[in-house]
Amino acid sequence: MAKEDKYEKVEEDEERKTLTTNSGEPVPDNQNSKSAGPEGPLLMEDYHYLEKMAQFNREEIPERIVHAKGGGAFGTFTVTNDEISKYTMADLFSEEGKETDVFVRFSTVAGSRGSPDTVRDPRGFAVKFYTEEGNWDLVGNNTPVFFVRDPSKFSDFIHTQKELPGSGLNDPTPQWDFWSLSPESLHQITILFSDRGIPATWRHMNGYSSHTFSLYNEEGERYWVKFHFKTDQGIKNLDPEEAKRLAGENPHHHREDLYQAIEEGNYPTWTLKAQIMPEKEAEDYHINPFDLTRVWPHGDYPMMEIGTLELNENPDNFFQDVEEAAFSPAHVVPGIAHSPDKMLQGRIPSYDDAHRYRLGTNFENIPVNKPKKAEKNNYHQNGFMRADGNLGSGPNYEPNSFGGPVEDPSVKEPPLEISGDADRYEAQERIDNYKQPGDLFRKVMSEEQRQHLMDNFAEDMEPVDETIQKRQLVHFYKADPRWGRGVAERLGIDIEEAVPDELLELPDEEIAEAPVVEDLLD
Ligand code: NDP
């Protein structure tokens, strides 16, 4: 039965519950406030009216600063290949057929809570696995890379995605200014302005951990891992003009598509796969495997299938299950851990901090966020809205001799050797901002997709100041000269005026094949 069927008419004589105040007092009249005489002013003693408005005035909570607009559903993850259990002691992967309940939230990044779904933007793809060893949150996107590789640039980048601080209007200038001054963003914007930048639905896109995480097994061996959810519905994207039409017609197009598919029993599925790298290989792999702007080529690290994610249950209440859902990359389970990826390191403290601001210190007691299959046992106490027993009569400290919970050394992560001087490192070895976006343009995209990419870039850059346009054209040119020339032509700019002579003098093949073209402009 569709959840909306609850709006079906009831019989006239059907017995109904009595309307009450929050304290349970029956309400005699919900249509007429209490006034001094039929046409007179209202009386302060009309507590039911006061409570109604007080509650109404507090209905909104702070919206997420990013990923504010979204939707979600419950489902199941089932292991189809337990080969991964060689690499990790994580119980959820321990045997084929093992099922774990999940909640998944999809979102756009930049827009506010009511903004349209069909805009060009990365999509959040956040999965909460309710495992027997606690909740594991894989808080990824529908793209395998990100705009920046250092978290100190994150808030600046997000400001460029929001309305202008003065007028409150949208303008593409800040984003192109930032991107053209941050060449590490080229890979992500290539995917963003490709056909995949506007998915047809959430069901028709992949999800990626994007970050490198780690796995460890009972023998204390560590492996680096990247997770990929491959859509079983196939990749499908929206034509940009159609997307604009839909944005006006139905801002909740993607939310509605997921809801309807599940109501109809047409449950979407994704195959979870992993790329696995033994710990030591990270040291001399030709790229930094912890750089969030890079992928691990499949030829180097092939995909291993793990299981199937299926979404099969719509939330009962959107606010309680979707708005109050709180995911955090800090939430891992024994056998799965973090990595030196600087963006991941920056996200670990930041997400729970944001949830404490948005939902309060006890946000993990909200049903959708609570561990479902594991017990929460610790000595944290009190705080606003604590109502889960709050440790009862104690003990509320550790160590204690009174039977309180104790640590379990068997789940300890193996030690990680680190070295180096504490410093701020602008120049990092193994960085090349152009090779992978160039490969995507040259080797992965069809000619039609390349044309779309250049059209999409030119359309978005058209209103931007020419100095910024030219700076960005150099990045395109370095990734592939055809790409630089193609966008320049569409913008009506002579590429020779944008690109420095040292670069123009190189034959195309040399630019495309040069492993590092980073310093050609310096
Ligand atoms: P492969 O040929 O093995 O992989 C290419 C990947 O590109 C496939 O996973 C494919 O995803 C994805 N892809 C196809 N079209 C697009 C598009 N328009 N936008 C974004 N991704 C697309 O080559 P490599 O692994 O050597 O990677 C080559 C380039 O492909 C990389 O530089 C990167 O830009 C891109 N890429 C790589 C990924 C990786 O994890 N290695 C993941 C995604 C993109 P699918 O199979 O779902 O069609």
Side-chain angles (χ1 to χ4, degrees):
M1 183 182 84
K3 308 236 163 171
E4 300 305 317
D5 288 352
K6 286 176 188 158
Y7 281 95
E8 268 178 12
K9 268 198 143 148
V10 292
E11 298 299 323
E12 289 266 312
D13 54 354
E14 193 175 315
E15 203 174 315
R16 294 171 65 171
K17 288 182 181 163
T18 301
L19 181 73
T20 73
T21 62
N22 279 345
S23 58
E25 182 192 346
V27 173
D29 186 343
N30 195 35
Q31 324 302 321
N32 302 294
S33 48
K34 203 167 186 179
S35 56
E39 294 177 6
L42 300 190
L43 297 177
M44 279 293 285
E45 67 183 40
D46 187 354
Y47 177 69
H48 173 56
Y49 164 73
L50 295 182
E51 181 184 85
K52 241 176 129 173
M53 288 314 294
Q55 189 84 29
F56 176 72
N57 291 340
R58 289 162 180 77
E59 276 182 10
E60 290 300 344
I61 57 174
E63 73 170 27
R64 295 166 172 89
I65 188 79
V66 280
H67 296 275
K69 174 67 191 295
F74 292 95
T76 322
F77 172 73
T78 310
V79 177
T80 51
N81 172 17
D82 63 6
E83 205 186 332
I84 188 143
S85 62
K86 282 197 296 209
Y87 305 100
T88 172
M89 64 203 269
D91 176 65
L92 87 152
F93 295 141
S94 58
E95 53 181 315
E96 282 174 27
K98 188 169 175 70
E99 289 190 359
T100 301
D101 291 343
V102 299
F103 178 71
V104 177
R105 183 174 182 272
F106 302 109
S107 49
T108 47
V109 177
S112 58
R113 197 152 42 195
S115 59
D117 288 338
T118 55
V119 291
R120 187 176 296 287
D121 202 8
R123 282 0 185 230
F125 194 121
V127 185
K128 191 180 285 293
F129 295 84
Y130 300 101
T131 90
E132 288 160 38
E133 299 175 305
N135 290 351
W136 172 37
D137 293 350
L138 196 50
V139 199
N141 279 335
N142 72 331
T143 68
V145 292
F146 195 64
F147 300 90
V148 291
R149 60 168 67 91
D150 192 298
S152 64
K153 295 183 80 165
F154 180 77
S155 58
D156 293 292
F157 162 64
I158 293 298
H159 289 170
T160 73
Q161 302 295 293
K162 301 276 186 184
E163 291 83 4
L164 292 175
S167 62
L169 298 174
N170 289 321
D171 185 326
T173 301
Q175 72 179 21
W176 286 108
D177 189 29
F178 181 90
W179 288 336
S180 63
L181 292 167
S182 307
E184 70 270 32
S185 61
L186 184 63
H187 200 182
Q188 173 73 315
I189 65 171
T190 310
I191 297 174
L192 181 60
F193 283 83
S194 79
D195 291 346
R196 291 191 182 193
I198 317 180
T201 79
W202 293 330
R203 297 180 295 125
H204 293 91
M205 63 185 199
N206 292 338
Y208 303 87
S209 66
S210 311
H211 296 293
T212 298
F213 285 85
S214 57
L215 301 176
Y216 58 94
N217 59 22
E218 266 99 2
E219 283 74 52
E221 294 162 331
R222 175 185 284 104
Y223 298 86
W224 306 116
V225 62
K226 277 189 188 286
F227 293 101
H228 304 243
F229 290 99
K230 293 274 184 187
T231 172
D232 295 326
Q233 289 68 239
I235 298 274
K236 250 170 94 177
N237 305 307
L238 277 177
D239 169 77
E241 290 309 312
E242 170 74 350
K244 278 182 204 156
R245 189 184 63 77
L246 284 167
E249 211 167 73
N250 180 7
H252 305 315
H253 181 68
H254 287 169
R255 187 188 282 173
E256 184 174 318
D257 171 82
L258 180 68
Y259 186 90
Q260 290 302 347
I262 293 175
E263 287 303 298
E264 287 159 15
N266 177 18
Y267 302 143
T269 61
W270 287 261
T271 302
L272 177 61
K273 298 185 176 185
Q275 290 177 287
I276 295 175
M277 178 189 293
E279 180 176 351
K280 287 288 165 205
E281 285 182 21
E283 285 170 17
D284 43 22
Y285 187 43
H286 67 278
I287 57 171
N288 171 6
F290 309 117
D291 177 349
L292 187 56
T293 66
R294 311 293 300 277
V295 297
W296 299 355
H298 296 133
D300 294 350
Y301 292 96
M303 297 281 203
M304 175 192 292
E305 182 174 324
I306 309 176
T308 300
L309 171 75
E310 178 185 272
L311 295 182
N312 49 32
E313 188 187 337
N314 278 316
D316 266 331
N317 182 277
F318 188 83
F319 182 83
Q320 185 170 298
D321 292 334
V322 184
E323 283 305 288
E324 293 197 297
F327 299 84
S328 168
H331 302 168
V332 290
V333 290
I336 302 173
H338 300 108
S339 81
D341 176 339
K342 289 181 186 183
M343 286 298 292
L344 177 59
Q345 296 276 320
R347 289 175 81 201
I348 292 169
S350 174
Y351 276 60
D352 284 340
D353 181 45
H355 301 321
R356 287 182 193 109
Y357 167 67
R358 196 171 66 86
L359 301 165
T361 189
N362 286 308
F363 70 92
E364 279 167 295
N365 287 342
I366 295 168
V368 69
N369 300 325
K370 254 188 186 165
K372 288 193 200 300
K373 293 287 167 54
E375 280 185 32
K376 184 187 77 169
N377 290 317
N378 57 41
Y379 299 92
H380 309 330
Q381 67 173 16
N382 304 354
F384 282 114
M385 308 298 284
R386 185 77 192 247
D388 63 344
N390 191 27
L391 315 182
S393 52
N396 60 352
Y397 60 92
E398 210 271 340
N400 66 67
S401 352
F402 302 108
V406 290
E407 60 220 13
D408 175 4
S410 72
V411 300
K412 191 168 143 325
E413 196 185 333
L416 176 66
E417 191 186 326
I418 50 173
S419 62
D421 298 335
D423 205 347
R424 297 174 187 275
Y425 291 92
E426 190 194 347
Q428 295 161 29
E429 283 177 23
R430 300 194 283 178
I431 278 189
D432 170 359
N433 292 321
Y434 302 99
K435 172 87 169 66
Q436 290 197 347
D439 282 349
L440 181 57
F441 181 83
R442 274 184 297 278
K443 298 180 179 166
V444 178
M445 289 185 184
S446 65
E447 187 50 35
E448 189 188 23
Q449 289 174 331
R450 282 193 280 266
Q451 296 298 326
H452 289 171
L453 180 79
M454 293 185 287
D455 290 345
N456 294 336
F457 275 132
E459 188 189 327
D460 206 74
M461 289 169 71
E462 201 271 326
V464 173
D465 181 82
E466 200 177 288
T467 320
I468 296 175
Q469 289 175 334
K470 285 182 175 169
R471 198 161 58 208
Q472 186 62 40
L473 285 173
V474 180
H475 298 310
F476 295 154
Y477 190 91
K478 280 172 151 188
D480 194 296
R482 282 175 299 164
W483 175 358
R485 286 190 205 108
V487 181
E489 215 168 275
R490 286 163 170 79
L491 289 171
I493 292 178
D494 180 355
I495 193 71
E496 305 206 345
E497 281 179 18
V499 174
D501 290 345
E502 312 90 277
L503 210 48
L504 287 170
E505 282 158 13
L506 286 178
D508 283 8
E509 323 74 69
E510 259 180 56
I511 294 175
E513 291 309 319
V516 177
V517 283
E518 204 75 40
D519 50 358
L520 286 176
L521 194 62
D522 294 344

